Amino acid sequence: MLIISSSLIIMFISNIMMFLSILLSKKNNNDREKNSPFECGFDPKSSSRIPFSLHFFLITVIFLIFDVEIALIFPMIVNYKLVNHILWTKISFFFLMILLLGLYHEWNQNMLNWTN
């Protein structure tokens, strides 16, 4: 009974502290002037935001995925002499088939084209 009552008191006190921190926190009012870029006191000559290429982002994500896949293949090569060769061959074949199916799917979706 003591543990339940003390845990309820701790939960009640922590909820009160979180509620007070929300009420007393400094409000962040952003206006247009604060969010605009500052160029020595003058208005900016052109847009300060560079257009973002979604295609470049997708190619970067695909590169990172393949990079992680290579990091997963390295231990398979190191453990070749330490494990059963038939089991190693089956697991390696299954893993590489999954990777090739993913590559085929990305190729079908035209995600590997550099130019559009």
Side-chain angles (χ1 to χ4, degrees):
M1 189 65 180
L2 180 64
I3 295 173
I4 295 173
S5 63
S6 62
S7 65
L8 285 175
I9 291 171
I10 290 171
M11 285 177 40
F12 181 72
I13 291 173
S14 64
N15 284 334
I16 287 176
M17 296 299 284
M18 285 190 293
F19 182 72
L20 284 175
S21 69
I22 290 171
L23 284 178
L24 299 176
S25 68
K26 185 178 179 181
K27 300 294 181 195
N28 189 6
N29 294 330
N30 291 333
D31 60 355
R32 192 175 136 224
E33 290 297 322
K34 287 184 181 178
N35 288 334
S36 66
F38 182 73
E39 290 185 9
C40 300
F42 298 105
D43 289 331
K45 301 280 184 202
S46 63
S47 174
S48 64
R49 308 283 190 252
I50 300 172
F52 184 72
S53 173
L54 185 61
H55 186 71
F56 179 75
F57 174 75
L58 291 175
I59 289 175
T60 306
V61 169
I62 290 171
F63 171 76
L64 288 175
I65 289 170
F66 281 120
D67 198 31
V68 169
E69 291 168 354
I70 289 176
L72 292 174
I73 289 175
F74 278 145
M76 288 174 29
I77 297 169
V78 172
N79 291 330
Y80 177 71
K81 291 185 178 181
L82 303 175
V83 295
N84 184 0
H85 295 293
I86 296 172
L87 182 63
W88 182 88
T89 305
K90 287 179 183 178
I91 291 173
S92 300
F93 180 75
F94 180 70
F95 184 71
L96 291 175
M97 285 306 298
I98 290 174
L99 296 181
L100 289 174
L101 285 173
L103 178 64
Y104 178 73
H105 176 70
E106 290 169 356
W107 194 356
N108 265 350
Q109 298 293 321
N110 291 329
M111 296 304 294
L112 301 177
N113 290 340
W114 284 93
T115 58
N116 280 341

